[in-house]
Amino acid sequence: MNYKSMPGSVILQTLNAAGYEAYYVGGCVRDICLNKVPKDYDITTNALPDTVEALFENTIPTGKAYGTITVMIEAEAFEVTTYRLESDYDGRRPRAVAFAQTLVEDLSRRDFTMNAMAMDLSGHIQDPFNGQGDLKSGVLRFVGDPLERIREDKIRILRYIRFLCQYNLKPFDEKLLKSDVLDLGQLSAERIREEFNKILLSDCPEVGIKMLEEMGVLKQFFPELSACNGFIQHHPAHNEDVFNHTLSVLALCENNLMLRLSALCHDLGKIETLTFDEKGIGHFYGHQKNSAALAENMMRRLKYANKEIELVTTLVSFHMRIYEHVSKASAKRLLNQLPSEALEILFLLQLADTKACAGDRSEGIRQIEDMRLMCRTLLEVNEAFSIKDLAVNGHDLMQIGINGPLIGQRLNELLEAVISEQCLNEKTALLDWLFQLK
């Protein structure tokens, strides 16, 4: 590998030429050790921020008070941070920052050994805490005392679990599971949400969610899901409690954030809706509505975007839709009720939910796949399934004397006629249909 041609290498070359030390640091070095392509390239140096600004034409003082200057190289941004020491943490960030004299001092303040490595332009890696050895052993280890690292910044609790899931590592220190410092109370909703999302987008999100629950962390920001742990379903289709069934569904979901969030939320309402029939079998009538409301509560708490909240709550609300009689009309009604971006995710959620149930689920899977195929076919041939797809519009109706609220009513009636195949979606046929209604 030609390290001198890596992104940002001109920054290291410029700093070195001016007499300063400069290294790639952190995640990019870790990814290079794992033979992965880094997503970004951070740089550390003993040059002070004012010097960095003076050496480069296009800079942004993004975190100058903390030693970080963003250097722009051909429209690409690179964070260049002066060696630093941090102290007097408040559980979120250091109250005091001092510049360090050596690279090792700077690396000693970092969270995990695999993130406390630095590499120069020759490819030589500075690894004072044996991050490479930990990667080879498949373990995730904190730099120094893990509880002290967590006290410094509580987001490291979630980063710890995220890295375990992202890189399929094992915990080096099991005592974290019983620590009394694992509280997230000082963290912003946004920081929690971003790490939570990354856990969900890892290769084994179900492992991460289970660890969050075991460590007593999940209930701090997602109590609705934590409450499902141990809640028995009393139904032959479910040999797992609601929490573990949810994890089984999550494990079957493709790597899509909205799908995996919907999987986590789809059965939250079962606790509120459990009833028993005369045989003692549990039922959860209407639980999808309660689940959607609880999903919205969680997502608003973590400040997800309104569009994301709307999509997840829609998916949760529809996940119990049954397709016993698949037809063009039933598919069109589904297409009319759901935004196009939700449809495929809904089918994936339903398939995962069905496969995670006990017993033979082949018939339910077949029904979902049949409806999925029917909807795809209708979309490909541009069949009408919404008012905007009709060959007539409100202006056409006004021209034949239909006005006011009656316009919307008549358009809905025309749509139903087209969906049920009582009328062709042609302007003449639709207007004739309207005359029959008069």
Side-chain angles (χ1 to χ4, degrees):
M1 183 175 183
N2 185 1
Y3 298 104
K4 292 185 179 180
S5 64
M6 285 173 52
S9 60
V10 67
I11 299 175
L12 278 74
Q13 292 170 11
T14 301
L15 287 163
N16 290 162
Y20 296 98
E21 297 175 6
Y23 299 87
Y24 291 107
V25 70
C28 63
V29 183
R30 173 198 68 222
D31 289 344
I32 289 169
C33 290
L34 292 169
N35 296 315
K36 297 176 179 289
V37 178
K39 293 182 179 178
D40 48 42
Y41 295 81
D42 292 335
I43 296 166
T44 189
T45 178
N46 62 345
L48 294 173
D50 286 340
T51 302
V52 174
E53 288 180 314
L55 286 172
F56 299 96
E57 291 184 4
N58 193 356
T59 63
I60 305 169
T62 44
K64 190 172 181 179
Y66 293 90
T68 300
I69 301 295
T70 297
V71 177
M72 304 299 298
I73 303 294
E74 296 181 354
E76 189 172 0
F78 298 88
E79 287 194 352
V80 180
T81 302
T82 302
Y83 298 163
R84 69 190 190 196
L85 297 170
E86 299 168 350
S87 61
D88 193 20
Y89 283 84
D90 63 2
R92 295 174 297 170
R93 62 178 70 88
R95 295 190 182 95
V97 173
F99 296 128
Q101 298 299 311
T102 67
L103 174 65
V104 172
E105 287 178 297
D106 179 88
L107 295 177
S108 68
R109 69 180 173 81
R110 296 175 184 267
D111 50 8
F112 306 107
T113 60
M114 69 176 191
N115 293 335
M117 298 185 288
M119 186 181 75
D120 63 21
L121 278 174
S122 68
H124 178 70
I125 294 178
Q126 298 280 348
D127 185 13
F129 303 103
N130 195 31
Q132 293 176 91
D134 288 339
L135 285 175
K136 289 178 182 177
S137 300
V139 297
L140 182 62
R141 182 164 61 93
F142 280 89
V143 174
D145 179 13
L147 299 186
E148 185 60 31
R149 295 284 83 78
I150 288 174
R151 287 189 185 96
E152 291 170 350
D153 187 352
K154 298 301 180 68
I155 201 65
R156 288 170 174 167
I157 300 167
L158 300 181
R159 282 172 59 83
Y160 174 73
I161 294 173
R162 189 245 292 186
F163 283 127
L164 289 172
C165 297
Q166 276 186 334
Y167 296 99
N168 193 27
L169 301 172
K170 295 180 180 178
F172 181 82
D173 194 338
E174 295 289 350
K175 73 179 182 180
L176 281 174
L177 296 177
K178 300 178 181 179
S179 170
D180 60 354
V181 303
L182 304 181
D183 68 277
L184 306 179
Q186 295 168 299
L187 296 176
S188 69
E190 291 87 352
R191 291 187 78 194
I192 293 173
R193 182 195 66 225
E194 291 310 303
E195 286 299 327
F196 182 50
N197 285 350
K198 290 174 182 177
I199 292 171
L200 288 181
L201 290 173
S202 69
D203 290 340
C204 47
E206 71 283 0
V207 173
I209 300 302
K210 187 173 183 179
M211 285 193 68
L212 287 169
E213 174 64 12
E214 290 174 345
M215 295 169 71
V217 176
L218 185 66
K219 63 184 178 183
Q220 296 180 43
F221 68 93
F222 198 172
E224 298 88 350
L225 180 58
S226 183
C228 295
N229 191 9
F231 192 84
I232 307 301
Q233 304 199 58
H234 304 283
H235 194 283
H238 293 291
N239 53 13
E240 298 176 302
D241 63 29
V242 175
F243 180 77
N244 284 288
H245 166 71
T246 298
L247 296 189
S248 295
V249 176
L250 180 62
L252 291 168
C253 286
E254 294 182 5
N255 196 336
N256 176 289
L257 181 60
M258 296 297 102
L259 171 61
R260 290 183 172 182
L261 277 169
S262 301
L264 279 185
C265 297
H266 79 286
D267 277 353
L268 296 177
K270 281 190 169 181
I271 294 176
E272 302 172 339
T273 56
L274 174 63
T275 58
F276 293 93
D277 62 21
E278 64 279 1
K279 297 181 180 179
I281 295 176
H283 299 279
F284 309 92
Y285 300 116
H287 76 272
Q288 61 270 32
K289 180 178 178 181
N290 297 65
S291 297
L294 292 170
E296 181 174 357
N297 289 344
M298 180 276 291
M299 294 185 74
R300 293 207 180 281
R301 185 185 310 126
L302 294 186
K303 299 186 179 179
Y304 282 87
N306 288 335
K307 187 175 182 180
E308 294 173 326
I309 296 172
E310 182 178 357
L311 179 55
V312 169
T313 54
T314 297
L315 292 166
V316 172
S317 297
F318 274 80
H319 85 274
M320 288 298 292
R321 181 66 67 93
I322 298 173
Y323 312 121
E324 291 182 350
H325 306 290
V326 176
S327 64
K328 286 180 67 175
S330 62
K332 286 181 179 180
R333 289 192 177 92
L334 183 62
L335 286 163
N336 174 251
Q337 294 173 310
L338 275 177
S340 57
E341 65 269 20
L343 193 64
E344 182 62 19
I345 303 177
L346 174 65
F347 292 136
L348 293 173
L349 174 62
Q350 291 179 311
L351 286 169
D353 190 21
T354 302
K355 291 174 182 178
C357 292
D360 182 6
R361 298 291 139 189
S362 57
E363 180 62 18
I365 292 170
R366 183 193 63 77
Q367 291 171 356
I368 296 168
E369 291 289 12
D370 286 350
M371 178 59 82
R372 188 184 191 183
L373 178 59
M374 179 66 76
C375 288
R376 284 179 175 175
T377 301
L378 293 175
L379 287 169
E380 287 173 359
V381 299
N382 293 318
E383 287 266 3
F385 53 83
S386 67
I387 287 176
K388 64 180 176 59
D389 299 321
L390 292 174
V392 297
N393 55 35
H395 182 70
D396 296 320
L397 270 58
M398 290 173 65
Q399 288 187 324
I400 61 173
I402 299 175
N403 296 288
L406 197 57
I407 292 176
Q409 179 182 328
R410 289 290 183 255
L411 286 172
N412 279 309
E413 291 168 347
L414 287 174
L415 178 62
E416 178 56 33
V418 171
I419 287 176
S420 60
E421 300 186 309
Q422 299 176 63
C423 181
L424 294 174
N425 187 28
E426 298 174 353
K427 186 171 183 178
T428 300
L430 292 170
L431 293 177
D432 287 344
W433 180 269
L434 285 175
F435 283 119
Q436 294 177 27
L437 295 177
K438 289 187 175 181

